[in-house]
Amino acid sequence: MNVTSKDRECLMPPSWATTLLVSGTFLAVICPLTVLSNALLLIAIYKDPLKTFRTPSVYFLVGLAFVDLITGLIPEPMTITCYYRFYNNHPDKNQTETILYAAGTIAAITTNTSFFIVLAFTFAQYAVVAFPFKLKRFITVRKTITCVVGLFLYAILFESLQLVGVPREVIAKIDLHLHSTFSLLLTIIIYLLLQRAFGKQMKTRPLTLTTMNSIKHQVCPERRDSCPARKSRRTQQTLIEKNFVRLNLAMIIILLICSQPSAIFWYVYLYSGQKTNASLSLKIVGVATNMTVFLKSLLDPFVFAWRLSKYRKALKKVFSREG
């Protein structure tokens, strides 16, 4: 069925048609980039040519890249298809709405999982920095992987509540308050505690070094200052922690910028009494804010590449080997 531009104007408002076309085109551009960037991140970590990606914290990033990759492979292409079908006035409207609903459900699972992973990553960073001798040994690779898998399964089970008769509106409100708002607020609070703990650690670390240097026979028998190797290890550990703290901040900023426009829209939509007869402008805003949520899946791996030099080096080494 071929629809001319004149027929389309009669069937739908021009502003709505433009929104569908622009949004579909935008997703068509970022979708392959999302898949490629997250796939490269996972390949670099899997190959691990520099042997630096076996720490527990890295597996939170693996989980985040995995759900971002799923977003680029499944809900984004489905949403693109639906937007173009709506734009071209596809005759089977019910099928298109079913596909769009399924895409939204899968996107909700991956988005919520990314919320939880950022929260868990922030808490793990805080635990390691604030209580290095008490909690660091409890944060292992196996426990990190179990945590990420558990968060993903929880997100699936939460979205499956609609299958047992829980009203979709109830699920949407719980999702909005618990996941989009409370979990982000808790993440920010924990990060502020992390910054405070890291600042204290930076102040006490020179004192610790001075104390160690005074015990010359326990540090270096031939000198009063500490061994160069020990200084190097301590400096390297400080730089690693500093990089991860900054990476953590970048992840939270991306999460805040990309998720909150959609959260604000859903607050307005669910509590303004316009659910049954939403205005055209509200629908347009809903589609636009949905794009920012998908954009997060593309930005995450670029944040890793920006903040983690070892990822850039590993990726370069992987491709140099392949070449």
Side-chain angles (χ1 to χ4, degrees), residues 237-303:
Q237 180 64 24
T238 301
L239 290 175
I240 291 173
E241 291 176 357
K242 189 175 183 179
N243 279 336
F244 270 94
V245 169
R246 290 180 175 178
L247 170 63
N248 207 157
L249 176 61
M251 291 166 61
I252 293 173
I253 291 174
I254 292 297
L255 184 60
L256 183 66
I257 293 174
C258 293
S259 68
Q260 290 315 288
S262 179
I264 293 171
F265 163 78
W266 280 105
Y267 272 113
V268 173
Y269 179 77
L270 291 173
Y271 294 100
S272 64
Q274 299 187 44
K275 295 186 292 297
T276 57
N277 189 25
S279 63
L280 177 62
S281 59
L282 189 61
K283 290 181 179 179
I284 293 174
V285 171
V287 172
T289 57
N290 200 36
M291 296 303 99
T292 63
V293 176
F294 284 129
L295 183 62
K296 177 189 175 299
S297 299
L298 172 63
L299 295 179
D300 282 339
F302 286 98
V303 170

Side-chain angles (χ1 to χ4, degrees), residues 57-189:
S57 296
V58 170
Y59 285 89
F60 286 115
L61 307 185
V62 171
L64 195 58
F66 178 72
V67 296
D68 287 340
L69 181 62
I70 292 177
T71 302
L73 287 173
I74 303 177
E76 285 187 11
M78 293 170 69
T79 305
I80 293 169
T81 301
C82 292
Y83 284 172
Y84 282 140
R85 288 178 68 154
F86 280 132
Y87 177 76
N88 291 299
N89 289 288
H90 193 276
D92 197 344
K93 186 178 180 181
N94 291 332
Q95 184 188 48
T96 305
E97 290 178 346
T98 301
I99 296 173
L100 188 61
Y101 184 80
T105 300
I106 298 172
I109 292 172
T110 57
T111 301
N112 284 336
T113 305
S114 68
F115 269 77
F116 305 147
I117 290 176
V118 174
L119 172 59
F121 176 76
T122 307
F123 177 77
Q125 291 295 107
Y126 171 68
V128 169
V129 172
F131 311 100
F133 301 107
K134 294 181 179 179
L135 296 181
K136 189 173 182 178
R137 66 179 182 273
F138 292 107
I139 301 177
T140 63
V141 170
R142 178 176 295 181
K143 290 179 181 178
T144 300
I145 295 174
T146 303
C147 176
V148 171
V149 173
L151 293 174
F152 186 63
L153 292 177
Y154 165 77
I156 294 175
L157 290 174
F158 179 82
E159 289 300 320
S160 301
L161 289 175
Q162 54 191 304
L163 300 178
V164 296
V166 179
R168 181 60 188 172
E169 183 178 343
V170 174
I171 296 175
K173 288 182 177 180
I174 295 175
D175 185 23
L176 180 62
H177 292 290
L178 183 60
H179 303 151
S180 299
T181 305
F182 177 74
S183 68
L184 180 59
L185 180 61
L186 184 60
T187 302
I188 294 172
I189 292 173

